[in-house]
Amino acid sequence: MKLHVLRFIVVVLACACAVVVISNLRAQKAAANEDKFAALYASLGMPVPVQTPAAPGTQEKTVAQEGREKNIKLLGDLPASQLIPVMNYFASSMGRRCNFCHVNNNGQWDYAADTKPEKNTAREMIKMVLDINKTTFKGTLQVSCYTCHRGRNQPQSVPTLPLPIPSPAAANPGGAGPGAGGATPPAGQAQASPNPTPAMPSADDIFNKYIAAIGGQAGIGKLKTRTAKGTIAQANGNAFQFELLQSGDKFYFMVTTPQGAFERGFDGQVGWEKTARGVREITGGELATFKAGNGLFVLISLKDQYARPPRVRRDKIGDRDVYVTDGATADGKRLRFYFDAATGLLLRRVTFTPTMVGNIPDQLDVEDYREIDGVKFGFIARSSTIESGNPVSTRTFTEMKVNTAVDDSKFKMPAAAASPNP
Ligand code: HEC
Ligand code: HEC
């Protein structure tokens, strides 16, 4: 029996980017892997994964513990839900697809085979990345595949000539070059500007302005539930219908796919997924990401998502001026929000999932704000991911209601899902 991935569908749902990789991986028994790199986790600033399976529901299994893969030598300690995202990260770092390292025999993937030399080179590279971060960067995750590769399989190590021609204004700061001295005003004068930039707002100012822009605390305070429907259009041309229910931090969503209904839910405690293949509980790091991405307030209560007040900087999205808040969540993930400097509305959220070989970014762009019972919601949400086969999914809401009665049983893990040893 060949292990293969029949299909990946990234669907983007709910209030924020629940990026769901439906990977039709066939379960497969594999020899237990040795956790050769377990010791490196601590130095990479990551929790060391448990070596023996923990009580079901409390800890996500690692790739090795799940034992589905046949030929994992280095990545056995990855949380199982990170394996395919990390593979996508490799592919996008190289600017290639899965077939750069893996063989496909007549439409049948053999991911376990080491036929391609690139796969073994990738293993050497994984070792190098773990080692560089450990020995040179004091165990922080600084160097990743993308640091060198930047979308090319052969990284560029020398500058391309000619260098860009410096613009006149930028010509002098280095002080180098013959005859550069006379014509340019001294540094102090050069910095005087007819339009001094306004003082930078504090993070609190930005969050308060956002709350006011979407309708104010009074309206938000009354918000209890949201139900919505819409479509998801993917860059690869696929389109699906989706349905969403939210009640506080509980949520349920369903996408209609050619393989049948794809459902995910969270009842305040237990996260789950149901597909044609069955039901599974979502646990550990995957559950944390799932919760953080889908509750009713995840794009409303932004301040609370930071462990400490974030830094603020200016930036641009297209020609719009934005303020960016940049900080870390309590579980150590980087999180950025981008606000329109003029309207105060949230335009973008970028989250980062740390893995042993790199930070995987996820971007959500929100637009078309419309008011429903006193609170504004974005009716278009575009999610961009590192999945090169399907980089962008756009969710468009066609129907949205707030504070209607929601059947709480929808959030519960379906009975068929009961875990084998509860
Ligand atoms: C740059 C090379 C590279 C690319 C591109 C790449 N992989 Fe991998 N893949 C690897 C390496 C290396 C391993 C083995 C890791 C180990 O030994 O711990 C692996 C292992 C796997 C496995 C486990 C197979 C088994 O049974 O042992 C799967 C599944 C997989 N890759 C899927 C994918 C998919 C899907 C893609 C495209 C999204 C992809 N890979 C892209 C290098 C790559
Ligand atoms: C410090 C810089 C650096 C980092 C970090 C790095 N690489 Fe590389 N990689 C290189 C260089 C340089 C080459 C080209 C070597 C050559 O031409 O012999 C290369 C080559 C490769 C190749 C072979 C490409 C080909 O065309 O045959 C693969 C596959 C690869 N890297 C995967 C990875 C993966 C996966 C990661 C992250 C785990 C990674 N690299 C991280 C520098 C880096």
Side-chain angles (χ1 to χ4, degrees), residues 3 5 8 25 28 63 68-76 83-84 86-92 94 96-102 109-114 118-124 126 387-388:
L3 169 75
V5 176
F8 298 92
L25 284 166
Q28 184 111 95
V63 169
R68 275 200 298 222
E69 324 305 342
K70 284 191 283 198
N71 188 14
I72 293 287
K73 298 194 163 87
L74 301 175
L75 301 177
L83 179 67
I84 297 302
V86 161
M87 290 299 145
N88 275 301
Y89 178 78
F90 288 171
S92 58
M94 303 287 119
R96 298 301 188 102
R97 306 286 285 269
C98 313
N99 64 359
F100 188 57
C101 300
H102 295 290
W109 286 101
D110 187 355
Y111 289 110
D114 285 343
E118 287 80 3
K119 186 176 175 192
N120 277 317
T121 307
R123 284 206 178 97
E124 296 303 313
I126 295 167
E387 203 196 329
S388 50

Side-chain angles (χ1 to χ4, degrees), residues 289-335:
T289 309
F290 187 49
K291 277 158 56 177
N294 294 285
L296 178 51
F297 294 99
V298 297
L299 290 186
I300 294 175
S301 306
L302 308 184
K303 183 182 171 176
D304 306 343
Q305 296 175 38
Y306 287 110
R308 285 173 300 285
R311 289 183 306 280
V312 176
R313 61 182 167 82
R314 290 190 178 81
D315 206 335
K316 291 238 177 208
I317 295 183
D319 51 12
R320 276 191 278 192
D321 287 310
V322 297
Y323 291 120
V324 185
T325 59
D326 190 347
T329 62
D331 57 355
K333 291 180 185 164
R334 257 179 100 183
L335 175 64

Side-chain angles (χ1 to χ4, degrees), residues 75 86 89-91 93-94 96 100-101 117-130 132-133 143-149 152-157 356-358:
L75 301 177
V86 161
Y89 178 78
F90 288 171
S93 296
M94 303 287 119
R96 298 301 188 102
F100 188 57
C101 300
E118 287 80 3
K119 186 176 175 192
N120 277 317
T121 307
R123 284 206 178 97
E124 296 303 313
M125 296 276 157
I126 295 167
K127 282 187 215 158
M128 173 186 70
V129 162
L130 293 171
I132 291 177
N133 287 318
V143 173
S144 66
C145 314
Y146 196 82
T147 309
C148 297
H149 282 275
R152 303 159 177 241
N153 55 307
Q154 298 278 335
Q156 182 172 352
S157 331
M356 64 200 276
V357 288

